[in-house]
């Protein structure tokens, strides 16, 4: 099956009568353009068309959460958020293994990171 | 029977990256797209070693034959050639690293190897990615990962692929079954020149399909693990074929050897067919004292573009077939 017909058939299910009218405010492509070519026009398209796109991404990829590499130039916020996500998983494992003392340390670490994230956000405001 | 890694022709890791502030290549004006080539160069050539070791090729300045050769050597993709008016590639002397600019994404970084050490290839690719990201601000979303023009590449935006010789699966008619099994594990199998190409010479490429939701290391581990199992099975098929049809297989392999040694006219398709059988002869140690790398060299060097490069474009098809047969006879 070609990429075009693959996306085409997937998106037939999307109820979107405005797919030719609604355009990305930045690069001006429509959702219909995407269905025909399989390509978005710019990175902002993912935000603008997220409602229609996300179910497809989930179906094609199996998930919606990136767990791999983050750019070296990523902001402190991204780095902290990733660290929190990883610690949360670790916390879950520790609790399952009934290692409560270690779990408490990880929990504190998460709280610490969350606090610094919030402070960062209010600084930005 | 030789070690199973002898069935690996080459391996490759490809990372896709896009500059945050720019539209994807298919929406860029030629002017902005060509300027991006300069910007990537600026981010890439940061030391004397880089300047000496790599070279940029602006594709709008290249001739048709050079483009074909780069494609047949797997240095660039068909899509990059379609974008020749805005595309470029940066390549090292050994042709192990290539950076395609303005393909489907702004940057497609490829690192090539000859064995199953995918982790090592990834490390090399990731290091170059880090270097580029010092000057280029790549589009990245916390949930979707690296942003790519097509949603099928989101996340790690990494495609790892390994080119394998699978005559055993092919002759026993089991490629369809491999393809189904791989699809269930988030992987895919294609012919020698990628998407939509035929599996000539019993050569296939296996790569990961899923790019979002898994770590790079896990994707590579799964792919390698699957390929190792597949190669064990391939060797089983080869063994069985040789045991069950000893005379027929020997006949096929030695006939191919004879044809390669003696033919005066040889099309590229026929060359691939016989080279594959001789490769199988080497893999099963029916044929000794032939270096498998020579066969792999011939597989690439007897393709139409490579022939044009070596002998000039004015040759007729027949003259090319004559020269192809001559090159092959020279090796055997």
């Amino acid at each position: 099956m070609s990429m075009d017909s693959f996306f085409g058939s997937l998106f037939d299910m999307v109820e979107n009568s405005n797919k030719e009218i609604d355009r990305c405010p930045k690069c001006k492509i429509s959702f219909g353009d995407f269905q025909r070519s399989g390509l978005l026009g710019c990175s902002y398209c993912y935000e603008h068309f997220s409602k229609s796109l996300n179910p497809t991404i989930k179906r094609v990829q199996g998930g919606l959460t990136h767990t791999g590499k983050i750019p070296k130039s990523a902001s402190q916020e991204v780095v902290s958020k990733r660290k929190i996500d990883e610690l949360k998983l670790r916390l879950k494992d520790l609790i399952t293994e009934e290692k409560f003392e270690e779990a408490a340390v990880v929990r504190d670490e998460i709280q610490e990171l969350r606090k610094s994230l919030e402070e960062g956000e209010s600084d930005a405001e | 029977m030789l070690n199973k890694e002898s069935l690996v022709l080459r391996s490759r890791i490809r990372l896709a990256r896009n500059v945050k502030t720019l539209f994807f290549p298919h929406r860029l004006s030629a002017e902005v797209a060509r300027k991006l080539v300069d910007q990537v160069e600026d981010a890439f050539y940061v030391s004397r070693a880089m300047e000496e070791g790599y070279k940029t090729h602006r594709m709008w300045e290249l001739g048709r034959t050079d483009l074909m050769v780069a494609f047949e050597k797997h240095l660039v993709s068909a899509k990059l050639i379609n974008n020749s008016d805005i595309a470029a590639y940066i390549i090292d002397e050994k042709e192990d690293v290539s950076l395609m600019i303005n393909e489907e994404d702004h940057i497609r970084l490829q690192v090539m190897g000859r064995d199953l050490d995918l982790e090592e290839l990834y490390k090399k690719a990731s290091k170059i990615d880090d270097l580029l990201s010092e000057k280029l601000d790549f589009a990245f979303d916390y949930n979707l990962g690296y942003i790519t023009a097509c949603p099928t590449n989101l996340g790690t935006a990494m495609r790892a692929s390994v080119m394998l010789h699978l005559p055993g699966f092919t002759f026993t008619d089991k490629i369809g079954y491999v393809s189904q099994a791989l699809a269930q594990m988030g992987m895919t199998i294609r012919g020698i020149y990628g998407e939509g190409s035929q599996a000539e010479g019993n050569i296939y490429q296996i790569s990961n399909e899923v790019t979002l939701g898994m770590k790079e290391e896990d994707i590579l581990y799964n792919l390698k693990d699957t390929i190792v199992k597949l190669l064990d099975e391939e060797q089983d098929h080869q063994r069985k074929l040789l045991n069950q049809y000893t005379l027929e297989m020997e006949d096929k392999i030695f006939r191919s050897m004879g044809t390669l040694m003696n033919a005066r006219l040889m099309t590229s398709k026929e060359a691939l067919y016989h080279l594959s059988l001789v490769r199988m002869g080497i893999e099963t140690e029916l044929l000794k004292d032939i270096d498998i790398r020579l066969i792999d060299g011939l597989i690439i060097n007897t393709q139409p573009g490579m022939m044009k490069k070596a002998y000039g474009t004015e040759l007729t098809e027949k003259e090319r077939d004559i020269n192809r047969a001559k090159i092959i006879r020279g090796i055997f």
Side-chain angles (χ1 to χ4, degrees):
Chain A
M1 192 186 265
S2 75
M3 199 61 95
D4 303 355
S5 58
F6 175 65
F7 282 113
S9 62
L10 272 180
F11 286 115
D12 282 344
M13 289 174 275
V14 180
E15 284 173 11
N16 192 349
S17 55
N18 311 325
K19 65 184 184 189
E20 301 299 334
I21 303 159
D22 181 22
R23 288 178 180 273
C24 169
K26 297 214 165 153
C27 70
K28 311 282 186 254
I29 76 155
S30 70
F31 199 70
D33 290 334
F34 163 64
Q35 285 178 301
R36 281 183 291 274
S37 70
L39 299 177
L40 290 149
C42 69
S43 40
Y44 188 72
C45 288
Y46 282 97
E47 241 175 286
H48 184 74
F49 299 119
S50 65
K51 242 188 179 164
S52 324
L53 263 176
N54 284 355
T56 314
I57 296 173
K58 206 168 172 190
R59 199 175 330 211
V60 176
Q61 294 279 4
L64 276 176
T65 315
H66 176 61
T67 55
K69 178 173 180 174
I70 50 179
K72 226 181 164 188
S73 56
S75 63
Q76 190 54 44
E77 188 193 336
V78 169
V79 177
S80 302
K81 261 168 102 177
R82 169 58 68 82
K83 183 95 189 139
I84 293 173
D85 283 347
E86 284 171 358
L87 287 173
K88 275 199 224 144
L89 282 177
R90 171 136 178 79
L91 182 63
K92 218 169 138 191
D93 286 345
L94 288 170
I95 293 173
T96 321
E97 294 163 21
E98 300 189 2
K99 290 179 180 163
F100 299 116
E101 263 174 56
E102 276 178 65
V105 176
V106 172
R107 184 203 55 206
D108 292 347
E109 219 178 311
I110 294 174
Q111 274 170 356
E112 194 72 23
L113 276 167
R114 274 196 181 133
K115 222 172 102 189
S116 64
L117 250 184
E118 278 163 20
E119 277 165 11
E121 270 168 26
S122 57
D123 279 356
E125 282 164 19
Chain B
M1 191 150 294
L2 291 182
N3 170 319
K4 60 178 164 260
E5 282 216 26
S6 65
L7 297 163
V8 177
L9 279 91
R10 54 202 303 169
S11 44
R12 186 192 68 186
I13 298 278
R14 195 194 70 199
L15 301 178
R17 297 291 183 257
N18 286 286
V19 176
K20 202 198 261 172
T21 49
L22 295 179
F23 296 164
F24 297 137
H26 70 111
R27 302 288 294 176
L28 282 183
S29 69
E31 193 192 341
V32 176
R34 286 186 181 189
K35 212 173 128 201
L36 175 65
V37 176
D38 302 337
Q39 287 168 315
V40 175
E41 280 191 305
D42 186 45
F44 185 76
Y45 292 110
V46 288
S47 65
R48 197 141 169 205
M50 296 300 259
E51 276 166 20
E52 281 169 6
Y54 290 85
K55 200 174 173 232
T56 309
H57 299 270
R58 285 168 168 75
M59 297 183 69
W60 59 90
E61 292 169 356
L62 297 181
R64 186 83 205 147
T65 306
D66 287 327
L67 297 181
M68 253 177 104
V69 166
F71 173 69
E72 285 169 5
K73 287 162 107 180
H74 296 269
L75 304 179
V76 302
S77 62
K79 253 182 210 155
L80 196 77
I81 292 181
N82 281 340
N83 287 359
S84 286
D85 57 325
I86 56 165
Y89 65 98
I90 299 177
I91 187 113
D92 71 324
E93 265 169 23
K94 283 197 280 177
E95 302 184 337
D96 286 336
V97 176
S98 107
L99 246 116
M100 296 191 271
I101 308 168
N102 289 326
E103 207 238 31
E104 187 178 289
D105 295 297
H106 293 140
I107 297 177
R108 291 271 176 105
L109 165 62
Q110 300 194 116
V111 178
M112 273 92 53
R114 276 157 200 86
D115 54 29
L116 279 179
D117 197 352
L118 302 176
E119 295 87 351
E120 200 47 46
L121 291 185
Y122 174 68
K123 266 189 219 156
K124 202 168 164 185
S126 184
K127 233 169 116 181
I128 298 173
D129 172 40
D130 289 342
L131 169 74
L132 292 171
S133 72
E134 277 176 31
K135 284 200 182 163
L136 299 168
D137 193 8
F138 290 140
F140 180 84
D141 175 83
Y142 187 73
N143 291 311
L144 297 177
Y146 285 97
I147 298 296
T148 52
C150 179
T152 52
N153 296 318
L154 285 170
T156 59
M158 179 187 77
R159 192 84 57 200
S161 51
V162 181
M163 198 188 284
L164 302 169
H165 186 225
L166 303 175
F169 276 107
T170 316
F171 294 149
T172 51
D173 228 358
K174 294 213 165 63
I175 287 292
Y177 138 84
V178 174
S179 168
Q180 280 174 11
L182 287 174
Q184 283 175 359
M185 293 184 286
M187 296 168 207
T188 179
I189 183 165
R190 298 190 175 98
I192 179 171
Y193 285 106
E195 234 163 292
S197 69
Q198 287 282 317
E200 280 169 25
N202 308 313
I203 295 166
Y204 301 86
Q205 290 190 62
I206 294 185
S207 51
N208 63 302
E209 189 85 331
V210 171
T211 54
L212 177 64
M214 281 167 83
K215 282 188 198 307
E216 287 83 354
E217 292 77 9
D218 296 336
I219 294 174
L220 297 177
Y221 178 85
N222 283 347
L223 187 68
K224 190 172 163 176
D225 191 53
T226 307
I227 288 175
V228 167
K229 284 179 189 145
L230 198 74
L231 294 183
D232 281 333
E233 263 188 79
E234 166 65 25
Q235 289 198 314
D236 270 351
H237 287 309
Q238 289 196 12
R239 235 175 254 126
K240 274 184 203 151
L241 277 171
L242 281 174
N243 288 339
Q244 272 177 21
Y245 306 100
T246 313
L247 200 60
E248 288 83 352
M249 286 312 296
E250 281 185 10
D251 182 65
K252 255 179 181 293
I253 288 167
F254 283 101
R255 264 173 195 272
S256 283
M257 187 73 185
T259 307
L260 293 172
M261 282 168 80
N262 295 298
R264 264 42 185 178
L265 284 171
M266 178 88 71
T267 65
S268 65
K269 209 171 167 174
E270 194 191 358
L272 270 179
Y273 172 82
H274 293 300
L275 287 167
S276 167
L277 277 164
V278 166
R279 203 182 194 282
M280 186 178 169
I282 302 171
E283 289 156 9
T284 51
E285 294 185 282
L286 214 63
L287 294 171
K288 291 191 175 119
D289 304 324
I290 306 174
D291 186 351
I292 211 160
R293 297 292 163 211
L294 280 178
I295 304 295
D296 294 351
L298 282 176
I299 288 175
I300 303 285
N301 289 327
T302 55
Q303 291 293 307
M306 296 292 286
M307 296 296 299
K308 276 190 196 163
K309 174 85 180 170
Y311 293 96
T313 41
E314 41 317 313
L315 286 193
T316 63
E317 211 166 304
K318 188 171 176 183
E319 284 168 323
R320 268 210 300 282
D321 291 349
I322 295 172
N323 281 305
R324 183 178 290 112
K326 207 188 269 174
I327 296 180
I328 296 173
R329 286 203 311 276
I331 295 285
F332 285 96

